[in-house]
Amino acid sequence: MKDVLILGIESSCDETAVSVVKNGREILSDVIISSCNQHVKFGGVVPEIASRAHATAIDTAYTQALQTAGVSIDDIDAVAVTFGAGLLGALLVGVSFAKAIAYAYHKPLIPVNHIRGHVAAGYLNSDLKPPFITLLTSGGHTAVVQVDSYTHLKVLGSTRDDAVGEAFDKVARVLGIPYPGGPGVERAAREGRPIVPMPQMLKGDKSYDFSYSGLKTAVVNYCHTKTQSGEGFSVPDVAASFQTAALSVLVDKAFRAVKETGYSVLSLGGGVAANGHLRALCETRAKKEGITLYMPEKKLCTDNGAMIAAEGYLQYLYTDNRGDLTLNAAANIPEFIKEYQQ
Ligand code: KG4
Ligand code: ZN
């Protein structure tokens, strides 16, 4: 069978990413130009700055992606682009660019849901095949997803309030850890002990849902109380205590889902899956329970174009999900995992 090359374009947050992926699994190039440094002094992503940075970087990212892959646009079978969810202005840069390329070079255009992209990251450089369970943990979403086939995904449970990555970022702010918060909290936690009591939100219940707003509030209250009383607090200990509470519930529910569905494979996806402690917890548990674990390399857990190309490949092969010049960006996708865009 002829090789299928997909160009994947991602611009939902602060990474301008363009990638060429062969047959949905083999990464030929994976260019990421991040505007992260421009957001540090504001303590979080500033949408307008992110949009402008995308507009500046996207052509370079595209040219480099083709060059590194050693292909020309003529070799590309389809253009896949994140149309949502994310920052609207940021998304629009990628969507407009993808529309222009698809139109000018007569390529099929495939609108990709960012969250499905995080799930599809599991296929990159791996032999992962459905059925399996994905523990999806990003800055905007937290969910346990049942992947029945390459195209059929079912959400078993998700967060009722904040996403786990969002909680990491907010806790980082309270602890004075600069943006991006997640990796900073992980670093601080390495020096600390999980000795501060934390609420165990929805840990023991029967659902696959999560809740992080109470945990975040507990950290805020603890830090304020200790500061006001003059006692102070240990940043590493609070980071370790928060991280342990935040991650253990994820691991418990993900592994329970594998067991209860009768599946034998778990994959991880989303920025928080780059967390070394989460990866270690999953490795230990998988070994103990005889479950096969797929963890995309850390660079593929956070936002990248390759995961969009991987999902685009599946949509190209198995669905008629195609965009045209009317394709628009969507900040939110209410039912966040859909077969198709509309
Ligand atoms: O998937 P992602 O790159 O973007 C979204 O789709 O949201 O995830 C970003 C989130 C941020 O909240 C970031 O703090 C978190 O992933 N994150 C981490 C780590 N690396 C990134 N959280 C905990 N530990 C990490 N090492
Ligand atoms: Zn993401």
Side-chain angles (χ1 to χ4, degrees), residues 64-263:
Q64 279 180 10
L66 289 178
Q67 260 170 14
T68 309
V71 300
S72 88
I73 188 66
D74 296 334
D75 303 315
I76 297 292
D77 292 284
V79 178
V81 62
T82 304
F83 75 94
L87 303 169
L88 197 63
L91 288 163
L92 277 169
V93 177
V95 167
S96 308
F97 191 86
K99 284 200 285 193
I101 296 292
Y103 180 72
Y105 296 103
H106 310 288
K107 306 287 177 190
L109 176 65
I110 304 173
V112 169
N113 177 329
H114 183 80
I115 296 305
R116 289 186 72 114
H118 275 304
V119 175
Y123 300 123
L124 292 164
N125 297 336
S126 94
D127 61 357
L128 175 66
K129 286 185 186 70
F132 57 88
I133 297 293
T134 295
L135 173 62
L136 191 106
T137 55
S138 73
H141 294 91
T142 308
V144 177
V145 183
Q146 180 177 327
V147 182
D148 296 326
S149 72
Y150 285 116
T151 52
H152 191 263
L153 279 59
K154 185 175 158 201
V155 179
L156 297 180
S158 58
T159 185
R160 295 182 185 170
D161 39 59
D162 295 350
V164 60
E166 196 181 345
F168 266 90
D169 295 336
K170 285 181 179 164
V171 163
R173 270 183 182 226
V174 176
L175 297 180
I177 294 169
Y179 174 83
V185 170
E186 180 185 357
R187 266 194 304 278
R190 269 188 229 131
E191 315 298 321
R193 297 159 303 158
I195 53 171
V196 181
M198 293 284 159
Q200 302 288 318
M201 247 74 58
L202 300 180
K203 192 164 182 200
D205 80 336
K206 289 268 167 283
S207 80
Y208 294 111
D209 286 348
F210 304 97
S211 168
Y212 281 100
S213 76
L215 180 58
K216 175 196 69 192
T217 308
V219 173
V220 171
N221 289 345
Y222 176 84
C223 294
H224 283 174
T225 309
K226 291 290 177 189
T227 305
Q228 271 167 2
S229 69
E231 234 177 298
F233 57 86
S234 152
V235 169
D237 285 351
V238 176
S241 307
F242 161 77
Q243 181 173 263
T244 302
L247 301 183
S248 67
V249 60
L250 292 173
V251 176
D252 276 3
K253 295 206 173 189
F255 278 86
R256 182 159 61 77
V258 177
K259 214 175 246 173
E260 287 182 0
T261 49
Y263 290 0

Side-chain angles (χ1 to χ4, degrees), residues 10 12-13 15 85 114-115 118 137-141 270-271 301-304 307:
E10 154 65 35
S12 66
C13 193
E15 260 95 35
H114 183 80
I115 296 305
H118 275 304
T137 55
S138 73
H141 294 91
C301 292
T302 47
D303 291 348
N304 63 84
M307 70 183 199

